[in-house]
Amino acid sequence: MGAREFTRGRCVVARLPHGGDLLEEIAAVADEHGMRAADLRAIGALQAARLSYYDQTTHEYGEFAVDGAVEIVSLLGTVSLREGATMVHAHATLAGHDGACVGGHVAPGCVVFACELVLQELVGEPLEREFDEVTGLALWRGL
Ligand code: ZN
């Protein structure tokens, strides 16, 4: 547990492609602009959504599909590295037609309807993930 200082670098704004996978498209923007660490936020809508919940006892993710098309009320996350590759970690709050929200860890299979993404580059030492025995998660090394 700890902290490290970064400075803010470039800011990239992107419109994600209709029909793309949310996590893959965010990673593609980060890669295209050579951002190895960033914080991210986005709003928009998804044609289909999959979220997951991490069970702190079994150390397993349970995935669930969200019914129907949804608004991305809020999507927050980070970009960092895992085994040298870009890894997007994002959590979303999603609303259905009646405004009722569900939320969780964004899983593969979220299909973009339209999405406005803002990536804020973090400049500093590489932010790498590694397996953490206590939580069973890939957490930031050296922090
Ligand atoms: Zn998560």
Side-chain angles (χ1 to χ4, degrees):
M1 176 172 53
R4 189 192 308 158
E5 290 190 14
F6 289 82
T7 56
R8 293 199 168 273
R10 298 162 296 154
C11 185
V12 168
V13 173
R15 191 182 86 180
L16 301 185
H18 182 80
D21 180 88
L22 183 62
L23 290 175
E24 288 178 11
E25 297 300 342
I26 294 170
V29 173
D31 286 343
E32 189 178 318
H33 292 271
M35 287 190 178
R36 296 163 64 82
D39 67 70
L40 70 90
R41 59 189 191 274
I43 56 171
L46 299 172
Q47 302 174 57
R50 290 192 68 79
L51 298 175
S52 60
Y53 172 86
Y54 189 70
D55 187 313
Q56 297 176 16
T57 304
T58 64
H59 288 185
E60 286 177 358
Y61 276 106
E63 267 191 39
F64 58 96
V66 177
D67 284 343
V70 291
E71 294 287 313
I72 303 172
V73 176
S74 174
L75 183 125
L76 295 172
T78 56
V79 173
S80 56
L81 300 173
R82 185 174 185 184
E83 293 169 0
T86 299
M87 182 181 157
V88 175
H89 180 205
H91 287 194
T93 305
L94 306 173
H97 62 91
D98 59 356
C101 290
V102 294
H105 175 98
V106 176
C110 289
V111 182
V112 173
F113 180 76
C115 186
E116 298 176 348
L117 169 71
V118 180
L119 273 181
Q120 172 65 63
E121 184 182 31
L122 299 172
V123 178
E125 284 180 53
L127 195 51
E128 285 267 5
R129 292 184 180 276
E130 68 180 0
F131 181 75
D132 175 66
E133 293 281 348
V134 175
T135 62
L137 295 166
L139 301 181
W140 290 324
R141 181 188 304 152
L143 293 183

